Amino acid sequence: MGSMGRARGFFVLVLVVFWLLLLRKSGKFPQLFLRKMKKKGQNKMSDNKKREVTSSDEAPRSNFIRAMIDEDLKTGKYDGRVVTRFPPEPNGYLHIGHTKAIALSFGLAEHYGGVCHLRFDDTNPASEDVEYVESIKHDIKWLGFDWHDKLFYTSDYFERLYDFAVELIEKDLAYVDSLNEEEIREYRGSVKEHGRPSPYRGRTIEENLTLFKAMKDGEYEDGEHVLRAKIDLASPNMKMRDPLLYRIRKGHSHYRRGTEWCIYPMYDFAHCLSDAIEGITHSLCTLEFENNREIYDWLLANVELAITPPPEQTEFARLSISYFVMSKRKLLQLVTEKHVMGWDDPRMPTVAGMRRRGYTPESLRDFAELVGVAKANSVVEYEMLEYSVRNDLNFRVPRVMCVLDPLKVVIENFPEGEVEDLDASYYPHDIPKEGSRSVPFSREIYIERDDFMEEPSKGFRRLVPGGEVRLRHAYVVKCTDVIKNDVDEIVELRCTYDPETKGKAPEGRKVKGAIHWVSAEHGVPVEVRVYDRLFSHAAPDSTDNFLEHLNPDSLHINKSAVLEPSVINDPAGSRYQFERLGYYCSDIVDSSPEHLVFNRTVALRDSWSKKQEAKPKEAKAEVASSSPSKKSKERPQKKSRAEIREKLRSDNPELMARFERYQKELGLTREEADVLTGDREVAAFFEAALATHDAPRS
Ligand code: ATP
Ligand code: MG
């Protein structure tokens, strides 16, 4: 090794050691390592068996929620019961963020021998639908979880919830307010000032009871009255300033209750009480409900409950993934405005989309486990999801050959009309799974156009004029002639094959490259859909108009690909690795034996990062800005933080616009505006804060 080589080797070693230390520190080291070891030993098992091993037997990583449950079990708080729930609102399809919540609540119940309820939180008749109920049930089952007989609907509790509201009114802990929405907000005050009592706060119990009943009986229109809890208008927690409990929603038919009800409970009221009705012990939700916990506890402390102690709410970090939007409202918009083919478009972050794309339930569960459970929000890199998918598919799917961009090759010394059936193993030897198929070899085959170079660049190890290459599972061929059309394009190659080279190295010479191929006569035409990210912005959710960042090249349809014939009659949804290309899955909606359609699930390697590397420095700033202090070779001089913030703004017109607006409209100083717009996460946080507190300076 020369000194350059030694230096490079040392550098790689240092990197590896550093990476291992990081993994150890983050607690991921043993899990990643164990997962790999386990997978190695189980490949002869069927897919189903494998699922049981990877997902159930593998002890979930410890986290603060598990520590809390362990403690509750130790102290006997709930008499050893662990009852969790997953409470989706049936107003959209499940997305990968929900998968995290599902894996957590169902996973904990599984782990502790408890049960997880599936409860549809269906308290808004305007947006909910039975289509969503069915899709959610289907997705949860597909992910491999089971609610057994614990399927519930908040809408089944409407009568009991109404009684709880009456109980609160009777205790003078709730009142009918007749201010409108705008006035209620105004009266609620701000972080700096206390709220003022509504002029209707002093209504008598009798008056409230009569009015509330009249609301229920449909005597008032939407917005005329609401029911509010009487808590504390001076509470530092704005949520505790007399939260809304009920509102009137007339003119909508609820998908389960029809027009029986025209008042509907608010989340804060319905959720904790539904938990209590069902005897939930641990109610896990995302961090944005942290401030709602006080209402949760207050309500449960102020009504007569059949169970004690009451359930307890615990928050965990929401899953966000770079380049994804994860709000159901935005996903619905993508569907209704036809930016995608539907909820199950393979580019969507929905469970249905990922299933159609070829992701496995195991890979999504592995991903949830890899992400872990934290108390602080963060953004997970998209590559981590792809890693989980690739890692799972690698050990599971058979390899077959498909040529995406065919170039015809005529093997001149192979007899015309003859066909040789070659035995080709489905798995490489480092995957101890067995099985093979027969692949027809004939005089005319297709190879990938870019596996041939007339004037090869340095290091090109595939086919070149006069050179040799191995055809996978077949023979070594030598290129003898290149045939071109009038416009100098290569239309065909002439080759000879060496009959002595089937399954063994040619004598006396080295052939380095091996390429995939398909018999021209036997290959079947397939449509191949290749997906890129739906958004070209790393954080589309943080921008003013996420639709502006739709990636116009997120779908590429290839209608000229040719696939080996062995797969024709496999059921739709079958997954394969197309050798040397990536993982593919036949489309469960559009594929049929007459017209095969394949989705690329994930490329073999992460081509995206490489593409980013190749981009000019300015284009990379968007991505790099999330870790501005990272040292890089391209940045010989360390920039000051102020310079980094300025650079980020100059690359991002939206941040720049905010920088101006914060000074001009919100009256912030230049320094304040600078800090608030020099980091995307801080900027997003500030915008979110502005949305709830109209006091930018504070
Ligand atoms: P959205 O904000 O997209 O409308 P949501 O939270 O209103 O989503 P629900 O159907 O109410 O959607 O969610 C059901 C459960 O899933 C909730 O307990 C919620 O906390 C959890 N959940 C939703 N999104 C995520 C996410 N990105 N990461 C983790 N859990 C999530
Ligand atoms: Mg919700």
Side-chain angles (χ1 to χ4, degrees), residues 583-596:
Y583 295 96
Y584 292 77
C585 174
S586 65
D587 191 84
I588 43 184
V589 179
D590 295 334
S591 193
S592 67
E594 296 73 46
H595 177 66
L596 291 172

Side-chain angles (χ1 to χ4, degrees), residues 123 134 177 223 237 249 294 307 310 318 336 351 398 527 578 693:
T123 54
E134 292 310 320
D177 197 355
N237 178 358
R249 294 294 256 153
E294 245 186 295
I307 60 148
R318 206 177 170 81
T336 50
V351 174
E527 177 178 328
F578 289 172
H693 309 295

Side-chain angles (χ1 to χ4, degrees), residues 85-92 94-102 121 136 267 271 284-289 316-320 326-331:
R85 88 288 169 267
F86 175 64
E89 181 178 359
N91 62 353
L94 293 183
H95 54 62
I96 176 101
H98 293 118
T99 303
K100 174 176 173 181
I102 291 169
D121 184 22
I136 290 170
Y267 171 89
H271 198 78
L284 312 175
C285 63
T286 33
L287 276 177
E288 67 272 24
F289 294 105
F316 63 93
R318 206 177 170 81
L319 173 66
S320 307
M326 215 99 90
S327 127
K328 278 192 283 188
R329 184 180 57 74
K330 289 179 184 163
L331 296 177

Side-chain angles (χ1 to χ4, degrees), residues 358-482:
Y359 287 20
T360 57
E362 293 78 10
S363 59
L364 297 183
R365 290 171 68 138
D366 282 355
F367 173 66
E369 176 66 19
L370 201 59
V371 168
V373 181
K375 204 58 183 148
N377 282 330
S378 64
V379 180
V380 171
E381 294 295 329
Y382 178 86
E383 286 77 7
M384 195 158 139
L385 175 62
E386 296 205 324
Y387 162 84
S388 300
V389 176
R390 235 181 252 125
N391 195 36
D392 184 51
L393 292 174
N394 181 29
F395 290 95
R396 160 194 297 267
V397 302
R399 276 62 171 169
V400 296
M401 294 192 287
C402 178
V403 174
L404 296 180
D405 184 11
L407 172 62
K408 193 190 235 176
V409 174
V410 178
I411 302 171
E412 293 185 308
N413 59 339
F414 195 91
E416 218 160 313
E418 210 166 279
V419 182
E420 183 178 355
D421 286 318
L422 298 166
D423 185 53
S425 58
Y426 273 133
Y427 303 96
H429 40 255
D430 60 335
I431 306 264
K433 256 183 125 174
E434 284 159 11
S436 65
R437 80 285 188 193
S438 173
V439 178
F441 183 66
S442 63
R443 184 179 160 87
E444 293 191 357
I445 62 169
Y446 291 121
I447 66 166
E448 213 68 69
R449 188 165 281 278
D450 66 6
D451 278 338
F452 174 78
M453 270 183 112
E454 199 173 14
E455 286 160 28
S457 52
K458 199 165 165 269
F460 185 78
R461 295 226 174 106
R462 291 162 275 163
L463 199 56
V464 300
E468 284 189 312
V469 78
R470 172 171 291 284
L471 299 175
R472 287 281 293 148
H473 308 294
Y475 300 94
V476 170
V477 291
K478 178 177 188 167
C479 176
T480 51
D481 203 1
V482 179

